[in-house]
């Protein structure tokens, strides 16, 4: 199914004025209440923004239809696929009207996702891509292009030469793996850019800080950093500051957490290529609701990429 614009998707959820629809046709019946489950990768401020968007969608549905909408937000304490599957399976047992999940491991999550589908619970994937062969709606952005924007910017800032490092996030997570691979491909196009290290932070700021500090100590000629997750650049920025290397090591970040924006304002980071977490949460709920009332949804919804730098970071 071809991509739809967000405006068209919104229109698809509403009855068309002047068109007679059969009683009980898809989208013409409603319940007094709906309950949707949001399962992120881990407890993390980026996912708090997703939850904010989900709550906004719940408020819109209630205002337009009168139906109550409950959002059950349940995050693993660690980026651990076993914990995430336990939450997913517990959620399935409660028979919600829909489940939206950000996959930690497409292969590791697959059996639990198939169980949900088998029980006819609407499933939406956000900030990720579905396991191969599973016909599930996904919401996110072009993860490779997001990485390409950051890597090309770093290459430009370094004048096409120097030692760089990549913070990989959670290597099994589809979106993190895609970004890490695409970072590497951009650097491979420049013979005088050398990737000397990769870190794994498991989407945790403290871990990212420790990994970045160790990598910079082991590679004193390191000139630049990119990241594959939202926690990574914040930890990297902290490590650059603590090492007294602001202006010596260049950071091009990812996403729009307040700490990331402050690093740009302070000159620790040059810029960031950002996802739009609130929009992902909003459309995750909207697609679950559409499925719950019997409407088809697009295969993929692209919420876009925002480029943040000193010129627009205050907006």
């Amino acid at each position: 199914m071809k991509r739809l614009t967000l405006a068209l998707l919104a229109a698809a959820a509403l009855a068309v004025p002047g068109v007679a629809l059969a009683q009980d046709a898809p989208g013409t019946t409603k319940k007094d209440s709906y309950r949707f489950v949001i399962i992120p990768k881990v407890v993390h401020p980026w996912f708090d923004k997703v939850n904010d968007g989900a709550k906004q969608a719940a408020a819109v549905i209630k205002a337009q239809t009168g139906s109550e909408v409950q959002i059950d937000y349940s995050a693993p304490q660690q980026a651990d696929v076993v914990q995430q599957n336990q939450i997913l399976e517990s959620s399935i047992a409660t028979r919600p009207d829909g489940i939206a999940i950000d996959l930690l491991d497409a292969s590791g999550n697959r059996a639990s996702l198939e169980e949900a589908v088998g029980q006819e619970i609407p499933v939406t994937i956000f900030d990720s891509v579905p396991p191969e062969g599973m016909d599930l709606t996904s919401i996110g952005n072009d993860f490779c292009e997001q990485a390409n924007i950051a890597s090309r910017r770093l290459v430009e800032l370094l004048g096409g030469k120097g030692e760089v490092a990549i913070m990989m996030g959670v290597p099994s997570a589809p979106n993190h793996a895609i970004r890490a691979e695409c970072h590497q491909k951009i650097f491979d196009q420049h013979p005088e850019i050398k990737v000397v290290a990769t870190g794994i932070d498991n989407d945790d700021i403290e871990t990212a800080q420790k990994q970045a500090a160790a990598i910079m100590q082991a590679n004193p000629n390191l000139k630049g950093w990119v990241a594959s997750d939202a926690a990574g650049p914040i930890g990297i920025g902290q490590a650059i500051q603590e090492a007294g290397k602001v202006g010596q090591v260049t950071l091009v970040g990812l996403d729009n957490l307040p700490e990331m924006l402050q690093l740009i304002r302070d000159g620790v980071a040059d810029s960031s290529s950002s996802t739009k977490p609130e929009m992902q949460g909003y459309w995750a709920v909207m697609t679950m609701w559409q499925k719950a009332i019997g409407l088809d949804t697009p295969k993929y919804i692209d919420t876009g990429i925002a480029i943040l730098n000193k010129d627009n970071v205050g907006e």
Side-chain angles (χ1 to χ4, degrees), residues 13 23-34 61-69 97 289-290 292-294:
Q23 186 177 6
D24 298 330
T28 62
T29 59
K30 70 174 184 178
K31 296 180 11 178
D32 291 335
S33 64
Y34 299 91
I61 293 170
K62 180 179 180 180
Q64 297 300 320
T65 70
S67 299
E68 296 288 338
V69 179
D97 294 292
W289 173 61
Q290 284 185 251
I293 62 176

Side-chain angles (χ1 to χ4, degrees), residues 38-43 47 73-76 84 100-102 104 126:
I38 307 288
I39 306 174
K41 286 189 180 79
V42 68
V43 173
F47 293 111
Y73 177 81
S74 188
Q84 191 180 48
I101 183 169
D102 184 354
L104 271 168
F126 71 94

Side-chain angles (χ1 to χ4, degrees), residues 83-280:
Q83 288 186 29
Q84 191 180 48
N85 281 338
Q86 288 172 344
I87 293 171
L88 176 54
E89 289 160 9
S90 295
S91 299
I92 292 168
T94 68
R95 302 294 303 172
D97 294 292
I99 296 173
I101 183 169
D102 184 354
L103 304 183
L104 271 168
D105 185 323
S107 297
N109 291 126
R110 187 182 193 104
S112 297
L113 292 173
E114 289 175 342
E115 181 182 349
V117 172
Q119 295 195 31
E120 299 184 345
I121 297 172
V123 176
T124 291
I125 306 298
F126 71 94
D127 190 43
S128 188
V129 293
E132 187 175 354
M134 292 196 73
D135 187 20
L136 301 174
T137 292
S138 64
I139 299 167
N141 58 279
D142 187 331
F143 304 122
C144 188
E145 179 59 21
Q146 186 183 12
N148 289 347
I149 290 168
S151 295
R152 288 172 184 148
R153 176 60 177 167
L154 182 59
V155 170
E156 177 187 355
L157 292 168
L158 297 181
K161 58 183 179 182
E163 296 182 0
V164 300
I166 302 169
M167 192 66 74
M168 298 177 67
V170 182
S172 64
N175 58 338
H176 295 183
I178 289 168
R179 291 180 187 128
E181 180 182 359
C182 291
H183 282 314
Q184 183 68 57
K185 286 182 177 179
I186 291 296
F187 294 142
D188 287 345
Q189 296 171 12
H190 300 272
E192 294 186 81
I193 293 286
K194 182 180 180 182
V195 178
V196 295
T198 55
I200 297 175
D201 60 46
N202 288 317
D203 222 348
D204 179 77
I205 293 172
E206 183 179 354
T207 302
Q209 183 275 327
K210 292 178 180 177
Q211 288 268 305
I215 286 171
M216 288 191 294
Q217 185 174 12
N219 299 275
N221 294 322
L222 187 75
K223 297 300 181 184
W225 275 101
V226 290
S228 305
D229 64 312
I234 297 171
I236 294 166
Q238 292 174 351
I240 290 172
Q241 290 173 309
E242 291 165 5
K245 292 193 172 184
V246 176
Q248 301 174 42
V249 176
T250 302
L251 167 63
V252 178
L254 195 85
D255 278 322
N256 65 345
L257 293 181
E259 297 93 334
M260 183 71 252
L261 303 185
Q262 192 60 49
L263 290 171
I264 295 172
R265 293 188 191 100
D266 293 342
V268 180
D270 168 78
S271 55
S272 179
S273 60
S274 176
T275 56
K276 300 177 181 178
E278 293 92 344
M279 196 180 291
Q280 291 195 33

